[in-house]
Amino acid sequence: MTQRIIPNIWCAGDAEEAGAFYASVFERASAQVVARYPEEGLPARQSAFAGQALTVDVSIGGYRLTLINAGDEFSPTSAISFVVCVDPRDFGGDEGAARAWINRAWTALGEDGRVLMDIGEYFFSGLYGWVEDRYGVSWQLKLMDPGAAPEPAIIPMLVFGGPLQRKAEEAVALYGELLTPSGIVRQVTYPVTEPPHVDVPITYTEFLLAGQLFASFDSPIDRDHPFTPGVSLQIDCSGQDEIDRIWSALSAVPEAEQCGWLVDRFGVSWQVVPAELGELMQRPDAYAHLMRMKKIVIADL
C-alpha cells in the first residue's frame, strides 16, 4: 500500500546529519536527499540555505519519514512520537536478538537526549522505553509479542494532554472522515503507573488513516509539550479537489497557513500537497510560486 501520510520532522539546519544518524541506528534503514533549495531567488531569511538540502527522506523498514532542513523556528515535541515495533520474527524468532537490538538502539538514541520512560518491562510489553533523541525527536521502542499480529515498523502516536485532554476521540473521528480507509483497530484503557500518579486512566487507541496505522492516547497529565510544526503530517492528495476538501475541513488557524501548511483545531500541523509535488516543483520558478501560496493551487505552481 502506498504511504499517503508522511510524517515530516523539522530540523534546525542538520537534516542530513540527522538522516545519517537514523540510518545508522535502525534496521533496514536509509537516508537520501530528495530536494535542494534553489541556488538563487530565495527569500532573505532562507538565503543561507542556497543549494543545501531542503528535504531528506528516511526509510525505516519501508516506512518513510521526511526531514525538513530549515531554521530554528520550530522544534519537535513528544506530543507526536514514533513507536518502533520490534518483532522477534524479524530476527528469525530470536527474542534475545530483538532485545539486544532494542538495547543498542536505546543507547544510541539516548546519547545527548533524555529519557521520558525508563527502559524495562511493562504490563503491555516485555521490553519498552520512551526516549527523546539529540534532535528532539521522541521514539518509543517496543518489543512485540511474537504471537501477535504483525505491526508496521513505525506507528506515529499523538498525545492529547493539557487543554486537549479527552479530545483524542473527536480528533480521530475527524481525521477518519477525511482520510479513508479509516477506523478504530483497538482501544484500551489502563492505569497511570508512572509519576505523577493520577486516578484517571489513559485511553489508548490504534486507528487507521488512509489505510495506515496510527495511535493516540488521552493523557490525564498536564503535559508541557503541545503539538507544533516541529512534527507535521504530510498528506499526498490525488488532485486539486482533494486538496480543497481536506484543507477546508482541517484548517483552523488562518495565520498558520503557508505553502500548503495548516494547523487544525487541535494544534496538529498538516501539509496538504499534491502527490506529484516533486515533479511540479521542477517547473520554472515553482519554488517562488509556492512561497507565495497558502493553500496549494496546482495550476499556479
Side-chain angles (χ1 to χ4, degrees), residues 38-44 46 50 287-288 291:
E39 293 283 356
E40 55 186 25
L42 289 170
Q46 295 179 334
Y287 187 85
M291 289 295 102

Side-chain angles (χ1 to χ4, degrees), residues 45-204:
R45 61 187 172 83
Q46 295 179 334
S47 60
F49 289 100
Q52 293 188 26
L54 172 58
T55 57
V56 177
D57 273 5
V58 176
S59 175
I60 300 174
Y63 190 92
R64 176 184 163 196
L65 302 167
T66 294
L67 310 183
I68 302 171
N69 201 45
D72 59 1
E73 297 91 338
F74 305 113
S75 299
T77 75
S78 55
I80 299 182
S81 61
F82 300 101
V83 182
V84 183
C85 303
V86 183
D87 193 329
R89 287 170 289 199
D90 293 333
F91 295 82
D94 186 343
E95 183 174 314
R99 287 176 172 270
W101 183 87
I102 289 175
N103 284 309
R104 288 195 300 272
W106 173 264
T107 300
L109 292 169
E111 186 175 351
D112 298 324
R114 69 185 181 108
V115 172
L116 301 181
M117 286 180 67
D118 284 325
I119 193 164
E121 182 177 352
Y122 292 82
F123 70 89
F124 54 83
S125 175
L127 186 62
Y128 167 89
W130 190 344
V131 63
E132 180 184 286
D133 70 25
R134 68 189 71 174
Y135 303 103
V137 181
S138 292
W139 304 91
Q140 300 183 54
L141 303 179
K142 182 179 180 182
L143 180 69
M144 304 304 295
D145 182 344
E151 300 274 24
I154 302 289
I155 302 175
M157 177 183 284
L158 285 68
V159 180
F160 294 80
L164 293 173
Q165 288 175 7
R166 303 188 181 279
K167 293 290 187 179
E169 182 178 0
E170 178 184 342
V172 170
L174 171 63
Y175 303 155
E177 289 177 2
L178 296 172
L179 298 164
T180 57
S182 62
I184 292 175
V185 175
R186 184 166 71 98
Q187 191 168 62
V188 295
T189 58
Y190 53 87
V192 177
T193 58
E194 296 296 306
H197 297 285
V198 294
D199 294 332
V200 181
I202 286 174
T203 299
Y204 170 85

